Amino acid sequence: MLAGYPLLSLAVWVPIISGALVLATGSDRNASMARWIALIGAIVSFAVTVPLYTGFNTMTANMQFEELMPWIPTYNINYHLGVDGISMPFVLLTSFTTILVVIAGWKVIQTKVSQYMAAFLFMSGAIIGVFEALDAILFYVFFEAMLIPLFLVIGIWGGPRRVYAAIKFFLYTLLGSLLMLVAFLYLYFQSGGSFEILDYHRLPIAMSAQILLFMAFFLSFAVKVPMWPVHTWLPDAHVEAPTGGSVILAAITLKVGAYGFLRFNLPIAPDASHYMTGFIVTISLIAVVYIGLVALVQQDMKKLIAYSSISHMGFVTLGFFMFNAIGTEGALIQMISHGFISAAMFLSVGVMYDRLHSRQISDYGGVANKMPIFAAFLMLFSMANSGLPGTSGFIGEFMVIMSAIKVNFWYAFLAATTLIFGAAYTLWMYKRVIFGAVTNPHVNEMKDVSAREFSFLAILAVLVLSMGLYPKPYTEVMHTSVNNLLAHVAISKLP
């Protein structure tokens, strides 16, 4: 708490209450009111998270702004919230991205407007709850609750195969997380009846049990990341989801899975984490190399960016399992950067789709002739997605490659291929869509970005450039927490 305010609770419940108010506007006759309430709610939600950064103490690894009260005392389940340097940046990223999603859907969504806007506000509150929860059951409730609004967004406002994509997404993520619940129950009894996540970090656990716990958490979080080979739900979900759904899915939801590795796998099962390093590194590098090649042959822009996301998230898990500070911090920077870049890429595709109603690369060509301002924005975001120095996309990847070369040259060599493949598939898409003569007469009718579209693209452009040129504001808040985690993981928890 800061100055007597429960900031963490406000971060969770302001968007949820705002979502309820949006729903209360009722039918589409009140669509304008629903939009404005959603925007105000999203801005206020972001405003209450800003003090978490400005008031954050970078010199301690302890949880900050903690809130603790009994929830279900019979089973020692508490409403316990707190953030450290690892989780706090993602609270801000979530609340910030929600504003972009509301603005992006302002004119595009014309039916069931209140339900659409409310779904994203509910989702924002639940995802922030995941990053803040320090009680295992509270974490699990938020972890599952965030699925419901996204399931509805894909299933109601998505494309022609939206029901298939929504059910596939829901089943993959739900089945994976059931194993996490089993792990929590085991830890509850091992800890003498506690659901406190931080208590689990101190438990001495036998190696065989650590491996089972590691795999239970791994299957839960690997699906969310998603890691190869449990990634197949993501391209379908992205292709069918509306633009806002793709933005939240790529910018935020994938980060929940990666965050789980740092909060559960590494600190609870440190010996198993070291034991399983070869396995994790292998599938991470497969994601970086193989999925990068898969992205190269895509004809649908959203599917190409979806595969790009899987490839870039392979860097994140690779960095975590190098077990050094530069790799872990690089992976966290990559997560934040990918949040900015993937949001920008999907929003850019949405801008074109709103005009031409096609995502096929072959339907475009010569867009720069009609939309020069948009072409400039997309050039920046494409370069960032390729890892160009000076953009945020370079920082995290460079740090992870540096950490990998300390461990094994071939890890770094294979990881560095993303700089080639990423440039190949991203710039090839850009060239075919933006440059050349106008071959489709419908492209001639496309108008450049509106003031609304310029606003969210410009904000993301500033963030991508500022982070690429000066990453210190991002790295300094996580440094102490990362070092504390690595020191903890280095200590055996065998009884």
Side-chain angles (χ1 to χ4, degrees):
M1 295 173 66
L2 183 68
Y5 293 102
L7 293 174
L8 299 184
S9 286
L10 288 172
V12 172
W13 295 107
V14 166
I16 292 175
I17 292 170
S18 300
L21 292 174
V22 171
L23 275 182
T25 61
S27 69
D28 286 337
R29 287 178 297 177
N30 301 316
S32 180
M33 183 189 301
R35 294 185 182 102
W36 280 107
I37 294 174
L39 180 60
I40 293 168
I43 292 172
V44 173
S45 300
F46 177 66
V48 300
T49 62
V50 171
L52 298 178
Y53 180 86
T54 57
F56 191 81
N57 182 359
T58 59
M59 303 307 293
T60 177
N62 295 331
M63 290 294 168
Q64 300 182 43
F65 309 101
E66 278 192 80
E67 300 172 32
L68 174 62
M69 64 184 71
W71 180 22
I72 308 175
T74 307
Y75 298 102
N76 202 21
I77 300 172
N78 298 313
Y79 177 82
H80 189 186
L81 305 176
V83 290
D84 61 1
I86 293 171
S87 57
M88 183 272 291
F90 298 104
V91 174
L92 271 75
L93 181 63
T94 304
S95 60
F96 166 74
T97 307
T98 306
I99 299 175
L100 298 182
V101 169
V102 170
I103 297 172
W106 196 268
K107 289 185 177 179
V108 179
I109 304 300
Q110 296 294 328
T111 59
K112 300 183 177 69
V113 174
S114 62
Q115 293 93 324
Y116 178 86
M117 296 296 183
F120 284 104
L121 289 166
F122 289 142
M123 201 187 317
S124 176
I127 295 172
I128 288 172
V130 168
F131 290 124
E132 293 180 352
L134 296 180
D135 179 276
I137 297 301
L138 186 65
F139 177 91
Y140 185 78
V141 168
F142 283 130
F143 193 81
E144 296 297 284
M146 61 180 273
L147 299 180
I148 300 170
L150 190 52
F151 171 78
L152 295 174
V153 166
I154 297 171
I156 296 174
W157 293 275
R161 299 176 71 242
R162 58 186 178 273
V163 174
Y164 165 78
I167 291 174
K168 187 176 183 181
F169 154 73
F170 194 81
L171 289 178
Y172 263 73
T173 50
L174 178 66
L175 291 174
S177 58
L178 290 175
L179 292 169
M180 178 172 62
L181 182 60
V182 174
F184 285 155
L185 294 176
Y186 172 83
L187 291 166
Y188 172 77
F189 290 109
Q190 286 294 111
S191 62
S194 172
F195 280 114
E196 290 293 314
I197 294 171
L198 298 183
D199 288 348
Y200 300 159
H201 294 184
R202 296 185 285 270
L203 282 179
I205 304 173
M207 186 63 170
S208 57
Q210 280 198 39
I211 291 174
L212 290 173
L213 286 169
F214 181 95
M215 290 308 299
F217 287 127
F218 167 77
L219 290 170
S220 301
F221 301 132
V223 172
K224 271 282 198 300
V225 169
M227 299 179 72
W228 181 89
V230 289
H231 67 283
T232 57
W233 63 269
L234 185 70
D236 289 320
H238 271 309
V239 167
E240 299 305 322
T243 299
S246 291
V247 170
I248 287 291
L249 189 58
I252 307 299
T253 310
L254 308 190
K255 311 306 179 291
V256 170
Y259 169 76
F261 280 105
L262 294 186
R263 189 61 78 219
F264 295 94
N265 286 71
L266 270 65
I268 294 175
D271 300 295
S273 296
H274 285 282
Y275 179 76
M276 299 295 289
T277 295
F279 169 69
I280 300 295
V281 168
T282 299
I283 61 176
S284 297
L285 289 173
I286 289 174
V288 171
V289 179
Y290 167 67
I291 301 298
L293 291 171
V294 172
L296 196 58
V297 299
Q298 299 306 311
Q299 299 301 312
D300 184 303
M301 286 186 284
K302 284 185 78 173
K303 190 169 279 192
L304 185 150
I305 300 166
Y307 280 114
S308 169
S309 292
I310 300 167
S311 180
H312 284 111
M313 289 302 289
F315 258 88
V316 173
T317 47
L318 177 67
F320 289 165
F321 284 83
M322 293 299 95
F323 298 106
N324 55 46
I326 191 169
T328 306
E329 289 183 19
L332 287 167
I333 289 294
Q334 173 76 344
M335 287 165 69
I336 298 170
S337 168
H338 181 260
F340 297 150
I341 296 170
S342 63
M345 293 294 288
F346 279 115
L347 286 168
S348 296
V349 172
V351 167
M352 290 188 287
Y353 182 83
D354 293 341
R355 289 158 171 75
L356 203 62
H357 299 291
S358 172
R359 295 185 300 267
Q360 296 300 311
I361 294 172
S362 58
D363 289 339
Y364 291 86
V367 171
N369 297 301
K370 307 304 295 183
M371 303 176 68
I373 297 174
F374 171 78
F377 277 124
L378 186 57
M379 171 61 84
L380 170 62
F381 301 139
S382 297
M383 290 297 184
N385 199 50
S386 305
L388 182 75
T391 66
S392 63
F394 174 75
I395 304 298
E397 291 181 3
F398 180 69
M399 291 173 72
V400 171
I401 292 170
M402 282 185 64
S403 75
I405 207 166
K406 291 182 177 180
V407 177
N408 186 303
F409 169 79
W410 292 108
Y411 293 170
F413 176 81
L414 290 171
T417 60
T418 194
L419 299 172
I420 300 169
F421 297 144
Y425 59 70
T426 307
L427 298 181
W428 192 33
M429 178 192 75
Y430 184 86
K431 175 225 175 219
R432 288 182 289 169
V433 170
I434 300 297
F435 293 143
V438 176
T439 55
N440 184 342
H442 294 294
V443 173
N444 265 324
E445 301 168 10
M446 295 171 69
K447 297 189 184 324
D448 215 339
V449 290
S450 64
R452 175 182 62 86
E453 293 164 336
F454 183 89
S455 66
F456 58 71
L457 293 175
I459 291 169
L460 286 166
V462 169
L463 289 170
V464 166
L465 285 172
S466 62
M467 185 178 188
L469 295 171
Y470 189 62
K472 184 180 177 182
Y474 300 90
T475 58
E476 67 179 356
V477 297
M478 60 182 67
H479 191 67
T480 305
S481 295
V482 165
N483 284 336
N484 180 68
L485 171 65
L486 292 173
H488 176 85
V489 173
I491 301 171
S492 174
K493 292 298 180 291
L494 292 173

